[in-house]
Amino acid sequence: MNTIAKDIRLGRILISDGAWGTYLYEKGLLPGECPELWNLDRPDDVLDIARSYIDAGSDVIETNSFGANAFKLKSYGLEAKVKDINIAAAAISRKAAGQGKRVLGSMGPTGKIMMMGDVTTEELYNAFREQAISLREGGADALVIETMSDLDEAVIAVRACKENTSAEVICTMTFEKTADDAFHSMMGITPAQMTTGLIEAGVDIIGANCGTGIKNMIGIVKEIRTISADIPVLIHANAGAPIYQDGKTVFPETPLQMAGYLDVLIDAGANIIGGCCGTTPEHIRVIADLIKKRYQLT
Ligand SMILES: [Zn+2]
């Protein structure tokens, strides 16, 4: 099989998956419970999520390993299980994907802030290396570092993946729109700064995830394209900006509303499209149908 980047350079638009976190809560994950422990304790439920995205038409799916780094797992007393949890996460998605679709091993931020002296570069690097190697061992084709807001942490994660595995490495950051219509991560990084920094670090694919909906992703992709015309771009948008309603967080955008922005997003330069918080297999089904009809003619 081609690499993902090669497929994109051949002109393909690829469909990714939707939310994992919000889906796990729907399946009964309790607040305060470790989502990634489900890979060991409730593998069938995790497999069910992975399968539902493959059935919806995803070309690539993620793994239930977003918070499965040593720092995050330590807060549940599970730091000794990093390897087992990541291997299981990748194996579950591999089982759902079969040999024809690709598995992206999900890696989120550690929650430690380097600027505050919480953690050293070496400690971060080692945590990402351990997670990356375990995800590959479980069968992940590529690694996706996501929801990053600190460029320094993102660069360390990319290096840890590139230097210790042969996997393609994807890295996406989360941006908010500011009052002056610009985009910044929580730590003040712009999409242009991300693009320069991550390409220098050797990333294969970049992009944005989470945030306040697919419409804002258009401006983010345009800004990425001012720095690089050819780096493949992945977008995982939330189903709109979260609203707090009747005691819980709701993501209001329907599948059709999201799909309404696809042409402009692809025109701006996005190559892989899926969803983040609040998106469901139904969102992915509608997006996949449209992409297959208009962009995957061969
Ligand atoms: Zn999200």
Side-chain angles (χ1 to χ4, degrees):
M1 207 189 303
N2 287 339
T3 61
I4 299 170
K6 180 154 188 217
D7 259 5
I8 286 163
R9 295 208 162 96
L10 292 170
R12 282 199 76 194
I13 302 291
L14 298 178
I15 302 142
S16 186
D17 62 3
W20 283 73
T22 47
Y23 201 159
L24 285 161
Y25 281 108
E26 215 162 278
K27 283 190 162 292
L29 181 76
L30 299 171
E33 199 183 339
C34 174
E36 291 80 13
L37 190 57
W38 276 34
N39 297 315
L40 302 180
D41 288 354
R42 295 178 62 167
D44 291 345
D45 285 309
V46 180
L47 180 64
D48 213 40
I49 296 177
R51 280 207 172 122
S52 69
Y53 287 125
I54 291 292
D55 292 346
S58 298
D59 298 307
V60 300
I61 57 166
E62 292 202 22
T63 56
N64 178 34
S65 55
F66 178 78
N69 59 68
F71 293 102
K72 283 274 173 76
L73 289 182
K74 192 171 182 206
S75 61
Y76 299 100
L78 293 169
E79 66 272 28
K81 297 258 185 198
V82 173
K83 219 176 150 201
D84 292 350
I85 286 177
N86 282 289
I87 290 174
I92 290 169
S93 288
R94 176 86 275 151
K95 189 172 174 189
Q99 290 312 310
K101 310 277 173 131
R102 295 182 184 91
V103 172
L104 316 180
S106 168
M107 301 169 65
T110 56
K112 297 285 169 193
I113 303 176
M114 277 209 298
M115 230 170 55
M116 308 290 287
D118 273 1
V119 69
T120 65
T121 302
E122 198 186 353
E123 286 168 335
L124 280 184
Y125 183 93
N126 290 342
F128 288 124
R129 178 180 60 191
E130 180 184 28
Q131 191 180 9
I133 291 172
S134 307
L135 286 167
R136 283 286 279 174
E137 204 178 320
D141 300 295
L143 299 164
V144 57
I145 300 151
E146 51 186 355
T147 326
M148 287 286 165
S149 57
D150 180 0
L151 183 57
D152 293 335
E153 185 179 12
V155 163
I156 291 168
V158 168
R159 278 186 35 225
C161 293
K162 290 299 287 186
E163 291 168 4
N164 298 284
T165 77
S166 57
E168 279 185 290
V169 177
I170 306 165
C171 184
T172 65
M173 293 183 69
T174 300
F175 300 99
E176 290 163 18
K177 197 172 187 174
T178 56
D180 55 350
D181 270 356
F183 296 98
H184 286 291
S185 78
M186 233 161 47
M187 303 282 281
I189 303 299
T190 65
Q193 288 169 326
M194 167 190 77
T195 307
T196 305
L198 293 183
I199 289 176
E200 238 172 61
V203 80
D204 298 291
I205 297 167
I206 61 170
N209 74 294
C210 221
T212 47
I214 194 166
K215 192 177 170 198
N216 280 344
M217 293 296 192
I218 297 162
I220 294 169
V221 174
K222 283 183 179 164
E223 189 176 326
I224 291 172
R225 288 293 176 226
T226 63
I227 304 294
S228 172
D230 67 343
I231 184 95
V233 171
L234 177 150
I235 295 297
H236 283 145
N238 283 355
I243 301 168
Y244 196 67
Q245 205 173 56
D246 301 329
K248 60 177 196 171
T249 305
V250 185
F251 293 86
E253 231 160 67
T254 65
L256 279 175
Q257 281 171 330
M258 271 190 90
Y261 292 103
L262 275 183
D263 287 331
V264 195
L265 189 64
I266 290 168
D267 200 48
N271 309 106
I272 309 170
I273 297 167
C276 199
C277 306
T279 56
T280 63
E282 195 45 36
H283 287 83
I284 298 306
R285 190 179 313 279
V286 171
I287 288 171
D289 286 350
L290 198 144
I291 288 178
K292 281 182 180 146
K293 209 174 336 165
R294 293 193 197 159
Y295 299 97
Q296 292 185 346
L297 299 174
T298 50

